[in-house]
Amino acid sequence: MAEHGDPDGGGPVAIAHVYSQVEADVIAATLQAYGFTVVAGSRGAISVMPYLMVGLGGIPIAVAAGEAEEAIALMAEIDGGWSCPEAPFDSDPAINGAVSLGSTLLGGPPMPRVEGEYAWRPRQPRPGPSAR
């Protein structure tokens, strides 16, 4: 994941992009508990309009540039990994599709189950449908 920040080394550096408000809050709270200054960008807009989560590229979690290496090392030490959550309705894809379509038609499209990007975790290829 490319890190973004001030070239002078003083601005915020994105160390993660997540697609869950809860996950963003947990990562931010964990880093703050260890004394890091954390900015969770887009969190305000996404909390009001959660259907824009994917369109806005998730929630970037950033720390001060001088704290980035230490924050990444801390998160690498305590991170247990990500696994795709269970299907929210039923294990049958037809039933899940029907519920998702019905929810979308009623104005509330369900959030996709998207893995975030983390500076402390190597990017792994996504398993295909047969691996789930």
Side-chain angles (χ1 to χ4, degrees):
M1 180 176 77
E3 295 180 351
H4 301 61
D6 187 358
D8 297 333
V13 174
I15 62 169
H17 284 85
V18 297
Y19 293 88
S20 165
Q21 294 179 50
V22 174
E23 185 177 12
D25 289 342
V26 168
I27 292 173
T30 300
L31 290 168
Q32 288 171 344
Y34 282 91
F36 294 98
T37 303
V38 181
V39 176
S42 305
R43 198 165 121 217
I46 289 171
S47 69
V48 176
M49 300 171 283
Y51 51 86
L52 294 178
M53 175 84 70
V54 175
L56 292 174
I59 301 172
I61 308 294
V63 297
E67 301 176 332
E69 283 186 39
E70 190 178 346
I72 290 169
L74 170 71
M75 293 306 294
E77 184 179 330
I78 63 175
D79 184 20
W82 186 88
S83 60
C84 187
E86 300 254 344
F89 307 109
D90 196 285
S91 59
D92 182 5
I95 293 175
N96 267 337
V99 171
S100 295
L101 179 61
S103 176
T104 300
L105 292 174
L106 291 173
M111 276 300 302
R113 296 174 293 167
V114 181
E115 180 180 3
E117 297 178 19
Y118 311 91
W120 59 89
R121 191 180 311 149
R123 190 88 169 136
Q124 297 176 355
R126 285 204 148 129
S130 62
R132 291 184 193 179

